[in-house]
Amino acid sequence: MAGPWDVFNAANLLAGLPSEPYRLELLSCSEDRRVETVGGMHLVGRRNIRACRGPIDTLIVPASFGFERVTSDRALIRQVQRLARHSRRVASVCGGAFVLAAAGLLDGRRATTHWRGCEELARRYPAVKVEPDRIFVKDGNVYTSAGVTAGIDLALALVEEDLGRGVALSVAQDLVMFLRRPGGQTQFSRILQAQNADRQPLQELLARAAERPDEELTVEAMAARSHMSPRNFARVFVKQVGKTPARFIEQVRVDAARRRLEETNSDLECVADGCGFGSANSMRRSFLRVLGVTPGAYRERFRRG
DNA sequence: AACAAAAGCCGCCAAT
DNA sequence: GGATTGGCGGCTTTTG
């Protein structure tokens, strides 16, 4: 809920319009208007959902897991169905797709949800064409997004549709540099990736570095690829990224290595090689700098299964 | 664990 | 005149 909320709120501030384009409202299902989130945080809605009358521009249903409770709440489902009829478009974040599905809003449509729930969604609602591995899916006026932070991407896409790319970009820049996804794999926000064409030629480089940490990523090589002198490249890099090139690359490589240590049984030399470290020894030194533990100790602690 | 070579970083200055 | 860029020298950090 908070991610999209902040996106729309930032859009209000950054759109530069005389009146704010979005009016945000949190609806609650309970009489006292309280909403207790899964983490135990308490929010208070402006209104009870039953008191809400249309028309609504964008109805967003965020939910975590625990679909049993949510999808079996007939009153809630009925209210969602009712409000959807008065909405220009309907969206869900994470487990919210289960609510939309239960309301029949996804029948015959393409949709996605948190990677951990995709199978379950497809099994329970055969009429839904589940697309795993997507950050978000748009089908007609129904939008669904994957886990947690994907809701931010979804909201950015809606802002882009409404107010144009420029506003969406400023919002994205205002909120984040890039996003790491929960599925294990590093992915970049679509909209942030797109901005590389415009103002920030470095973004493309950063994305590529994260995907291929084993490539040559010295200042000299990256400068050449960016058509800049090494001196200027380093300067621009610090200004845009906030870290020096070597620091950033080290971080990227350590992240890549962590993942492999967690998810594979490759030996350290192999991991080091695949992540761009010259040797297991230099990987070890990077780990100590960045994480304070050796690769071996890290794997020992975090390996799966 | 020590050490030389390589790479990175940054202040300064000149050119654009 | 301010902003961006590129080169140089010297110091620090990292690597093999």
Side-chain angles (χ1 to χ4, degrees):
Chain A
M1 187 225 95
W5 187 285
D6 270 349
V7 168
F8 291 116
N9 188 47
N12 274 342
L13 302 175
L14 297 170
L17 298 174
S19 69
E20 301 190 335
Y22 299 108
R23 194 160 57 83
L24 302 168
E25 193 165 313
L26 174 65
L27 299 175
S28 162
C29 297
S30 64
E31 289 308 326
D32 60 8
R33 293 181 292 124
R34 297 221 307 182
V35 181
E36 180 177 357
T37 72
V38 278
M41 182 161 60
H42 287 254
L43 306 168
V44 181
R46 187 190 297 261
R47 291 195 267 186
N48 180 284
I49 195 167
R50 277 191 296 278
C52 183
R53 302 275 173 262
I56 296 171
D57 181 68
T58 311
L59 176 67
I60 302 183
V61 182
S64 175
F65 289 107
F67 358 94
E68 300 300 343
R69 208 185 80 204
V70 211
T71 54
S72 61
D73 184 340
R74 293 296 171 76
L76 167 63
I77 300 303
R78 220 172 19 249
Q79 289 302 320
V80 170
Q81 286 168 332
R82 181 179 68 83
L83 292 180
R85 280 197 294 275
H86 301 289
S87 302
R88 178 165 73 94
R89 57 193 176 189
V90 180
S92 73
V93 179
C94 198
F98 284 85
V99 177
L100 297 190
L105 296 167
L106 298 183
D107 289 350
R109 291 187 191 273
R110 295 176 296 110
T112 193
T113 184
H114 190 289
W115 57 274
R116 219 180 265 147
C118 281
E119 233 172 87
E120 173 96 11
L121 184 64
R123 200 163 48 74
R124 286 183 169 218
Y125 306 99
V128 182
K129 298 173 209 154
V130 179
E131 300 198 351
D133 295 331
R134 290 287 301 275
I135 293 175
F136 69 84
V137 171
K138 169 185 181 179
D139 189 332
N141 68 333
V142 179
Y143 303 70
T144 48
S145 65
V148 197
T149 58
I152 294 177
D153 278 290
L154 171 60
L156 281 171
L158 297 177
V159 169
E160 186 179 2
E161 275 185 19
D162 298 339
L163 304 170
R165 156 152 306 215
V167 176
L169 274 176
S170 347
V171 172
Q173 281 174 334
D174 196 60
L175 296 179
V176 283
M177 270 295 297
F178 55 80
L179 307 172
R180 171 157 314 135
R181 305 279 161 225
Q185 202 158 16
T186 302
Q187 297 170 337
F188 286 80
S189 160
R190 184 189 62 82
I191 191 151
L192 284 170
Q193 209 166 34
Q195 85 188 343
N196 69 42
D198 313 348
R199 284 164 242 177
Q200 307 213 3
L202 284 189
Q203 292 297 334
E204 190 176 10
L205 191 74
L206 303 189
R208 170 143 187 152
E211 278 166 29
R212 301 294 312 275
D214 57 317
E215 289 185 335
E216 189 187 3
L217 297 170
T218 60
V219 171
E220 198 181 357
M222 292 191 292
R225 244 189 277 166
S226 313
H227 311 291
M228 282 187 241
S229 70
R231 178 70 187 92
N232 196 48
F233 173 81
R235 207 165 18 205
V236 170
F237 194 101
V238 170
K239 191 166 180 183
Q240 285 199 9
V241 182
K243 302 175 184 199
T244 62
R247 289 260 159 254
F248 181 84
I249 294 304
E250 177 171 61
Q251 181 73 53
V252 163
R253 287 181 165 153
V254 167
D255 283 346
R258 289 169 68 164
R259 198 150 294 130
R260 291 179 201 209
L261 291 173
E262 289 170 21
E263 295 169 0
T264 75
N265 288 317
S266 313
D267 62 63
L268 297 186
E269 198 68 51
C270 219
V271 171
D273 191 56
C275 297
F277 295 102
S279 65
N281 193 1
S282 74
M283 174 168 79
R284 174 192 160 85
R285 285 187 280 207
S286 277
F287 263 66
L288 286 172
R289 273 193 294 273
V290 176
L291 302 174
V293 292
T294 64
Y298 182 86
R299 169 175 267 169
E300 191 53 40
R301 189 118 61 95
F302 291 107
R303 93 158 86 222
R304 316 202 162 176

